[in-house]
Amino acid sequence: MNDAVIEIQDVSYAYDTEPVLEHVDLTVERGEFLAIIGPNGGGKTTLLRLIVGLLKPTHGRISVFGKPPGREPARIGYVPQHGNLAPGFPATVEQVVLMGLPHSRRHGPTFWSDERALAHEALNRTGVDALAGQPFAALSGGQRQRVLIARALITRPELVLLDEPLSNIDPYGRQCIVETLTALGADITIVMVSHDLGITASAVTAVAAVNRYLLFKRSPHPTQAMLELMYGVHDPNCPVRTQMAHLTTEDAPKDAERP
Amino acid sequence: MSILQLLGESFVQHALLAALLVSIACGAIGALVVVNRLVFMAGGIAHTAYGGVGLAFYTGLPVLPITGGFTALAALLLGGLSRRRRERTDTLIGVLWAAGMAMGVILIDLSPGYGADLMSYLFGSILTVSTPVLWLMAIVDGLILALLTYYFRDILSLSFDPDFARSRGIPVDGLTLMLLVLVAETVVMLLQVVGLIMVMALLTIPPYLAERHTRSLAGMMVASSLWSLLFCVSGLWLAYQTNLSSGASIVATACAIYLLFAGIQNAWRWFTHVAERSA
């Protein structure tokens, strides 16, 4: 257990009285590439925001690097959904990456040469250093996403958390992003949220399906039970709870008995 | 009267100095209002300021400090409420907007010796700015610039992406409240120049123009200040030439220049697009 980067124990979260996550347990170990899959509104983003520390669980305990979330900001590289950004924001690619520097004692509007060197190192790692002087607003979706990943990488984090990095991006751009992530190195832990099953690339070492409840398997492929958790819950007669009972014991039943 | 003679008049000097001081605050804060999409919030704060004007009239205390304090409190209240009820923010702004205006009108009704002065806070009176007011504006400018410079990195990060800024340990909520208080103080300064009704024009048009041709937030702030100064000076000139009220002339100039600039820019883009296609 010493190598656990993220430990989540019996976590529940509710917006007002609407439960989003219930009784979630998850342990992510160093070097893992975890894909979190699930339907929209199933709680994937909420789970990621809990790990980052943007939300506090209503029940249960989360620790990241053995501490409560948010205590080690520089060791975590968070890549939020890029669709929420202000479209015309005046900033070059280099400036956007420099925004990823940790909150420190340095103040003022100018950045130092050591900081700019870090920004270019991060841009090199994501393969977009040539765009450094371009306005961020002029980039394609895939290029923007790689710049945002570079912003997260500027502190050389050990844990990278990405929220739907592949949505609204063309197939070529997706491939670039997946390869960028896999090239980060084996000792970097990656947690990537996606509503797309297809991305579970060869690099993925574990899958978690989230739809209020969470199922985890240390394997690149989702199990039958995960598919049923993800797509069966919209049917009011769907026996999700019965499924859950089965699933607490190891492997998923191939043919779940229906009551 | 020649321009030189005009510039010799102390009220003209005061007006130009006021235009400069207002433009500095307006450019810096307006840029942040526009990129953080706080325009409606700034509108709410601006109208709540009217309650502060009413309070000053009613108590007989100096208008600018009282309105400044009152509006800062209103901005903190609005910021605090909108943080707790994010989905209700626009409604809360509407409520405070109306409440502040009503409070101002009622307090002025109750004040003895109601005068024409009130109109000057609605429509501006850049031609009657006194020396102590200029000093106060300079102090507020200095404070705004000092705070924005000191916190520039954090403000840049949170304006671009507040969630990411939070993940890096930047105190987003505290800085947002500070920003709202600075908006409040800028608005109170603007009361003197263009008045409550037209505050929004100077907080939004210069940054919106600046955003079209700048590549950094700091550059956008400087460019907004310069646009704002241009609007104020040319508006004042227009007001002098045509004997129209100064506040409305400044805003009219701003709108006209904006339409002209945006039109030329769009026409140029269309032209280069067509030229590229035919090449």
Side-chain angles (χ1 to χ4, degrees):
Chain A
M1 282 306 261
N2 277 341
D3 243 12
V5 174
I6 304 170
E7 283 177 286
I8 299 177
Q9 288 164 5
D10 195 24
V11 160
S12 300
Y13 186 80
Y15 287 107
D16 290 327
T17 55
E18 184 78 19
V20 181
L21 294 171
E22 287 193 76
H23 307 300
V24 167
D25 289 294
L26 179 68
T27 302
V28 182
E29 293 186 356
R30 182 170 302 277
E32 200 129 60
F33 189 146
L34 171 71
I36 301 181
I37 54 174
N40 288 330
K44 304 183 300 290
T45 294
T46 302
L47 180 62
L48 207 66
R49 293 171 71 89
L50 283 165
I51 296 169
V52 177
L54 299 176
L55 299 173
K56 298 266 169 283
T58 34
H59 181 263
R61 206 179 71 84
I62 301 178
S63 67
V64 182
F65 298 118
K67 293 177 185 168
R71 292 283 174 84
E72 297 271 5
R75 290 173 79 185
I76 296 171
Y78 175 47
V79 185
Q81 288 183 28
H82 64 110
N84 301 339
L85 298 175
F89 196 95
T92 61
V93 165
E94 188 195 44
Q95 288 166 3
V96 169
V97 176
L98 284 165
M99 290 181 207
L101 288 168
H103 179 57
S104 75
R105 270 168 287 159
R106 283 190 183 170
H107 290 278
T110 47
F111 290 95
W112 302 68
S113 58
D114 57 328
E115 295 170 321
R116 298 184 61 190
L118 284 174
H120 285 275
E121 181 202 300
L123 282 166
N124 267 320
R125 282 175 88 182
T126 59
V128 281
D129 195 38
L131 302 173
Q134 299 275 319
F136 181 75
L139 305 186
S140 73
Q143 290 170 332
R144 282 186 195 200
Q145 193 65 66
R146 283 197 282 163
V147 172
L148 295 182
I149 295 171
R151 178 183 63 164
L153 292 180
I154 193 171
T155 56
R156 301 185 181 122
E158 296 150 64
L159 171 63
V160 180
L161 303 160
L162 305 103
D163 199 350
E164 306 251 10
L166 306 178
S167 62
N168 297 319
I169 286 169
D170 60 280
Y172 173 75
R174 286 170 170 231
Q175 199 53 40
C176 288
I177 291 164
V178 171
E179 275 169 26
T180 298
L181 293 176
T182 51
L184 288 182
D187 52 341
I188 291 185
T189 314
I190 299 174
V191 177
M192 178 166 89
V193 161
S194 175
H195 64 254
D196 186 356
L197 280 175
I199 60 90
T200 48
S202 54
V204 170
T205 61
V207 177
V210 181
N211 194 5
R212 194 193 297 192
Y213 307 100
L214 182 143
L215 297 176
F216 173 81
K217 189 147 192 281
R218 193 156 284 124
S219 133
H221 304 291
T223 61
Q224 180 67 29
M226 286 181 179
L227 297 178
E228 285 174 21
L229 172 71
M230 284 159 57
Y231 300 112
V233 81
H234 299 296
D235 177 0
N237 297 318
C238 177
V240 170
R241 281 173 191 281
T242 332
Q243 293 284 343
M244 292 300 295
H246 282 292
L247 288 163
T248 45
T249 61
E250 254 319 290
D251 270 326
K254 282 277 177 268
D255 297 294
E257 310 98 86
R258 310 225 169 228
Chain B
M1 208 189 277
S2 77
I3 289 189
L4 274 180
Q5 278 172 312
L6 204 57
L7 288 175
E9 297 280 338
S10 75
F11 79 94
V12 177
Q13 292 166 354
H14 279 198
L16 290 177
L17 204 52
L20 176 68
L21 292 170
V22 159
S23 296
I24 291 171
C26 220
I29 294 297
L32 291 172
V33 164
V34 167
V35 298
N36 281 289
R37 287 175 264 187
L38 291 173
V39 173
F40 191 53
M41 185 79 99
I45 291 171
H47 285 79
T48 314
Y50 197 66
V53 174
L55 192 65
F57 270 74
Y58 184 70
T59 55
L61 293 167
V63 174
L64 221 44
I66 291 294
T67 314
F70 180 85
T71 316
L73 285 179
L76 287 174
L77 179 69
L78 206 52
L81 284 174
S82 65
R83 205 172 87 72
R84 284 177 55 203
R85 304 283 311 269
R86 193 167 303 239
E87 71 288 355
R88 280 275 172 230
T89 300
D90 58 339
T91 312
L92 289 169
I93 292 171
V95 171
L96 234 73
W97 183 308
M101 286 296 277
M103 180 182 158
V105 171
I106 289 172
L107 285 176
I108 284 165
D109 280 347
L110 295 176
S111 307
Y114 163 74
D117 246 344
L118 174 64
M119 289 302 280
S120 75
Y121 291 97
L122 276 175
F123 295 102
S125 58
I126 197 169
L127 298 176
T128 60
V129 179
S130 65
T131 312
V133 168
L134 283 175
W135 274 111
L136 197 63
M137 287 163 74
I139 292 167
V140 173
D141 265 0
L143 206 66
I144 288 174
L145 289 185
L147 285 171
L148 291 188
T149 307
Y150 187 74
Y151 291 111
F152 187 81
R153 291 177 170 210
D154 295 341
I155 290 173
L156 175 67
S157 186
L158 81 86
S159 301
F160 182 71
D161 188 345
D163 277 351
F164 178 81
R166 266 198 194 91
S167 84
R168 278 286 190 254
I170 293 170
V172 170
D173 294 328
L175 286 171
T176 306
L177 285 180
M178 183 190 86
L179 199 57
L180 290 178
V181 170
L182 294 183
V183 169
E185 297 319 306
T186 306
V187 160
V188 172
M189 274 172 69
L190 284 175
L191 289 185
Q192 293 282 329
V193 186
V194 290
L196 208 48
I197 305 295
M198 294 176 283
V199 157
M200 301 318 296
L202 274 193
L203 271 182
T204 52
I205 298 175
Y208 194 42
L209 262 171
E211 198 185 46
R212 290 170 154 259
H213 63 88
T214 48
R215 289 158 66 88
S216 72
L217 185 60
M220 182 178 168
M221 289 173 167
V222 173
S224 308
S225 293
L226 293 175
W227 278 117
S228 175
L229 188 62
L230 175 73
F231 297 154
C232 288
V233 172
S234 43
L236 276 173
W237 175 248
L238 178 74
Y240 172 73
Q241 289 294 325
T242 54
N243 204 19
L244 295 170
S245 65
S246 56
S249 300
I250 290 171
V251 176
T253 313
C255 292
I257 293 178
Y258 172 74
L259 286 176
L260 193 70
F261 186 88
I264 289 173
Q265 206 179 33
N266 286 341
W268 176 251
R269 278 186 192 152
W270 180 81
F271 178 77
T272 49
H273 180 69
V274 170
E276 264 171 30
R277 277 192 154 188
S278 56

